[in-house]
Amino acid sequence: MTSTIKYKLLLSIGLLSAAIIAFQLVLMQILSIVQWHHFAYMIISVAMLGFGAAGTVLSLSRTWLLKHSEIMVPVLMMVSGLSMSFVVGWSQSSFTRFDSYLVFADYRQAGKLLLTYLLFFTPFFFGALAIGILFVQYVASISKIYFADLFGSGMGGLFALVLTWIYLPQQLPAIISILPIIAGIIILPGRSKSRALIIILSFLVILWQLAHPPQLIPSQYKDISKTLLLPEAKVTIQKSSPYGFVQTVTSPVLRYAPGLSLTAQNTARVKAAAFVNGDWFGPITSWKKEDSSFILDYTTSALPYVMRKRNKVLVLRTSTGIDVAHAVSHDVESITTTEPNSVVLSLLKKELALASDSLLYQPKVMSQRMEPRTFLMMDTARYDLIVLPMTGTFGGSSGLYALQEQAIMTREAFQEMWLRLNENGVISITSWMDYPLRNPLKVLATMVEVLYNSGIKNPRAHLAAIRSWGTITFVLTKSPVTVTEVANIRKFCDDMMFDPAILPGLKAEERSSYNQLQDERFFRYIDQILSENRKAFYDEYDFNIKPATDNKPFFSQFLRWENLNRLSHFFGTRSIPFFEVGYFLVLVTLVQIAIVSFVLILLPLFKLGWSGKNKFSILLYFSGIGLGYMFVEIVLIQHFILYFGNPVYAASAVLTSLLIFSGLGSNVSARFIGSKKDSYLLFVLIALLLLIDAFVLMPLLQNTIHVSLPIKLVIVLLLMGPLAFLMGMPFPSGLSLVSKSNPEAIPWAWGVNGCISVISTALATILSIELGFNWVLFLAALAYCLPVIGLSWF
Amino acid sequence: MNGVIPCLLFLFFVSFFQEDYKEKREGMVKLQIEKRGVKDAAVLNAMRQVKRHLFVPSSSIPDAYNDGPLPIGYGQTISQPYIVAYMTEAIKPKPEYKVLEIGTGSGYQAAVLSPIVKEVYTIEIVPQLGTAAANRLKKLGYKNVQAKIGDGYYGWKEHGPYDAIVVTAATEYVPPPLLEQLKDGGRMIIPIGSPFMTQTLMLVEKKGKKATTKSLLPVMFVPFTREKK
C-alpha cells in the first residue's frame, strides 16, 4: 500500500463512516416523523445489524472478497450510497409502508415491517462490508484505519446536525448519499470509460433523487394526520431542525380545553397548533382579556390562581406558551419561562408573534432557552408559583413516553422547586386522570416525599387537589393552606362543577359531588399515599408509582414486570403492549437483535470451526468492549444533556468528542499497547475511571452547573477526554492480537463487536430503567473486565 | 343448464357465509357482551341484528366479530362490540327516544341505535368517512338514521333537544352546545382512551342547569393492590 493510496483509503473510510452515522441520525428523524420515536429505534437497531451481518459474510467469503477487494470496496461504498438515496422512498410506497400503531392490532402488518427492516438494512450492510474488508486487508495499519472510521463517524454526527437546519428531512438521504459515492470514486481503480460511466450514472441518479425527494406519509394515527383531516386544515409553517420537524396547522375547528368545566360557554378556539415530528406540541392561543376569558380559567389548572393572587411565576417548559399566557391573563408581575426547543421559541417570537398576541414580547415575560431542570439548578430566584407542564395524555399515552427521561419530574427536581418557593409559594401540576390510575398517584407520591423530606410532619396541610371529569390539579404549598384559600377553592369547585380531592377539612362525600368515579378506590389510594405507610402501598400497587429519581428519571415508566400476568388477565393480552408500548418495543428490539446476532455470530463458526484458536477469548474480548463502550456513551449523553441544558447540542457534542477522542486513542494504540501486559493495564485503567465516574460524575456536574460555558467545556473534556482516549485503544489492539494468533477470525471478531454494540444500546436502556444510570456505569466497568478474562486465553 | 350449477354453488356459498356470520354474531353477543353484564334486551337484539361485517373494511371482514376494535381508515376505529353495546345500554334507550351521535365513523353505532330508538341523527367531521357511512346506512335500509358531514362541536340544533347523545370519538372537552341540546334528565356518553386500548367512558347526566359526570369502567377489575400475605 503506497502512502498516496493509504491517504486516499483513509479519506474514503472517513467519508463512508461519516455518511453511515449521518444517515442513521437522519433516518431516526424521518422514521420518527412517519411513525414514532420508539418504532424508529426498533427499525434502526435491526438495520445497524448490517455491521454484524457484514462480519458474518466476510468470515464466510473472506478469500474471495479479499481477492477482489480493489473493485469490491469502491463498488460496495457506491451501492451503500445509492441505497441510502432510495430506501426512504421505497419504504413509503403503498406496497411497503406499514403502520406501527397497527402492528399489535393487525398482524398482517408484520410482513411490511419485515420488508422495511430489509430496506433499511441494505445501506448499512454494504457500507459495513466495505469497511470490514479494509479492516481485514490492512490489519497491520488497523489503528490508522480505525482512527479514520471513528473520526469520520464523529464528523458525520456534526454533518447531520448542520444539514437538518438547512434541508427538509426527506431531502437529506440523497444529500448524504453523495459521501459514500465520493468515497467509492476516490478509490475506484483504473481510468477506463466504464469508470467514467459509473461516476456519471451515480451522480445522475443522485441528482434525480435530489430533484424528486420522497413524500413522507405520517401514520394515520399520528396527531398531525388526524388534525389535517379537520375542515380547511392546512400546514402553515414547517421548519426542519435537529429539535425535530416543526409544523403548525390551522383550521377553523381547532380547539383546546383539556378537561373543560361543563359550565363553560367558551368555544375554546385556538389560532394554530404546533407539532414536532407529527406529535402534538401545543396550541397557539389568544390571551387578551378583551377577546374572552382565558380558557384555562375553566379548567382545574386555574387552582393556584384561585387560591390567591400570584406575582412572580416560573413556567417550567414554555411549549407554545399556553401556561405563560394563563399567567399573563392573571396580571402577574413577572413570568420566567424556559424551553429548550429554540425553533418553537423562534416561531413564537417571529412567525407566530401575531397569533400569540406577542406573548414573548410582553415586558413581564422573561424567556430562557434551556432545559427546565438545568434552569432550575442554576436559578436562585424565589417564586409565588412554579407551573409544571401537564402530565399524562388524554385517555392515556399508550406508554409511548415510558422511556423518556423527564428530569423535571424527579424527586430531586421537586425538592429544588420547593427551595425556590417564597413563603406563600406553590408548585402546581395538572394530570389527566388515567385508567388504570398511574400519573396522578405518582405526582402525589413525589410531592408527599418532598414534604416528608423537608421535615413537614403533616403533608395534608401543604397540599390541595381538585378534580374535573378528566383532569386533576395538585398544588404543593410552602406554608399550610389557609382558611381563606380553602374557601376560595370550595367556591371555585362549586362554580365549575369540580370536586376537591385533597383539602384541609375535606369530608369524604365532598370528593365526588359532581364527578363520580365508578371505582372510588382512587380516594383510598390518595389517603394511603398521604399516610406514613405510603411505602408499603408503593410496593403493593400493581404499577410502579414510586417517585422517579435523578438516577432513574423515567417518570412515565409504570409497568412492573412481575404483574404482567395479572394485567393480561384483566385487560386482555392484546391490551398489554399499549400499557407501556415504549418499553415493550425496546424489549421486542432486544429480543429481535439478540436472535439475529446469535445467528450471525454462530454462522461463521461452521466455517472457522467451533473449538480452539481462541474463539471464546475473542468472543469475550470483543463483546466486552462493545458492551462497555455503548453503556458509557448512553450514560454520558444523558448526564451532559442536563449539564448543558440543550439536548441536541449536548448529545452531538458528546457523541462527536467521544468518537474523536477514541479515534485519537486508536491512532496511537500501536505505540502504547505492545504486549498483553499493556492491555491488562489499559483495561484496569478504563474500569477504574468508570468506577470513579459512577461515584463522582453526577455530583460533580450538579455542583458545577452554575459555571460559565467555557469552564463547563473544559470540565467535560477533562472528564471525558482521557476515558474516551483509552476506550479507543482496545479495538485495534485486540484485532492486532487476533491477527497474530488467528488471522482468519478477524472478520468474525469485528462482527461480534458489531452485533454486541447494537444489543448493548437496547440493553443499556432497559438497565437504566430497572437499575439506574449509576449501575449502568458500574456494569460498563464490569464489561471492560471481560476482555481481561479473554486476554488470558489469547 | 350450464349456468345453473355455478348459480347453485354461488347461492350455497352466499348462504353458507351469511349463516357463518350469524353464528359469529350470536357468539359475539353471548360471549363478549352478555357475559360481561349487558342485559338490555333491545340492545342485545340490535347487536344480534346489525351485520357488523358490513361496517368494516373488506380486509377486516374475517375479524369483524372479534373481541376488539378494528381500524376503518383515517386514524379512526370501529369500537369493540362490547363497548358499542355498553355505551348504547348506558344511555338507557327507549323506543320514543331521539338520539344524536357525534362521530359517525363507519356508521355501526348509528345502525345499532336504529332499531332501538325512534330517530338517530349522526354527524361526522371527516367527509370521506361521513359520505361512505351515509351511503352504507341508506343502502342497508336504516331509514330512521339521518347523517350529515359537519363539525360535531355544535351538535345538530334543528332536531334538538335530544333524549341522549352518544359521542363516539374521544374528546378532551365536552362541547357546551351539546349539553345545551340535551333534554333535562338526558344522558350523554363519551369514550375516553386512545384507539386499541381498554377504554373508560364518561356519562354526563343533565339536571336542570347543572350536570354530573360519572366515569364508567366497562371492564371492572379487581383492586390494583396485591392481597397481603
Side-chain angles (χ1 to χ4, degrees), chain A residues 254-270:
Chain A
L254 261 176
R255 301 180 186 95
Y256 178 78
L260 187 69
S261 161
L262 296 180
T263 64
Q265 293 302 310
N266 311 36
T267 49
R269 280 195 194 286
V270 301

Side-chain angles (χ1 to χ4, degrees), chain A residues 13-23 149 152-153 155-157 159 176 179:
Chain A
I13 290 175
L15 285 173
L16 177 63
S17 302
I20 287 174
I21 289 287
F23 184 64
D149 178 33
S153 300
M155 298 313 289
F159 184 56
I176 292 168
L179 294 185

Side-chain angles (χ1 to χ4, degrees), chain A residues 656-704:
Chain A
T656 305
S657 42
L658 196 67
L659 289 168
I660 290 175
F661 272 105
S662 296
L664 292 172
S666 163
N667 203 23
V668 296
S669 64
R671 213 178 305 160
F672 289 104
I673 313 294
S675 64
K676 268 194 194 178
K677 201 178 151 191
D678 296 335
S679 292
Y680 284 128
L681 188 66
L682 172 67
F683 287 114
V684 170
L685 268 176
I686 293 173
L688 264 178
L689 279 177
L690 286 174
L691 285 177
I692 294 169
D693 271 357
F695 286 107
V696 303
L697 190 64
M698 209 189 275
L700 183 70
L701 296 182
Q702 279 175 356
N703 285 309
T704 57

Side-chain angles (χ1 to χ4, degrees), chain A residues 108 220-221 253 255 257 259 264-267 269 394 398 435 469 497 514-516 518 539-540 542 560 570, chain B residues 59 63 71 73-75 151 153-154 171-172 176 180 194 200 210-211 213 215 217 219 221-222 224 226 228:
Chain A
R108 282 165 288 199
Q220 57 177 316
Y221 295 96
V253 302
R255 301 180 186 95
Q265 293 302 310
N266 311 36
T267 49
R269 280 195 194 286
F394 174 66
S398 306
Y435 167 74
W469 57 268
M497 295 201 277
Y514 296 105
N515 303 286
Q516 297 162 20
Q518 189 180 343
D539 291 337
E540 286 166 15
D542 268 351
R560 292 173 64 170
F570 300 132
Chain B
S59 61
D63 303 322
Y74 305 99
D151 183 4
Y153 182 89
Y154 297 104
T171 169
E172 286 191 357
E180 275 171 29
S194 54
T200 57
K210 293 237 166 188
T213 73
S215 102
L217 308 173
V219 185
F221 50 90
V222 297
F224 275 120
R226 274 170 287 169
K228 282 176 186 164

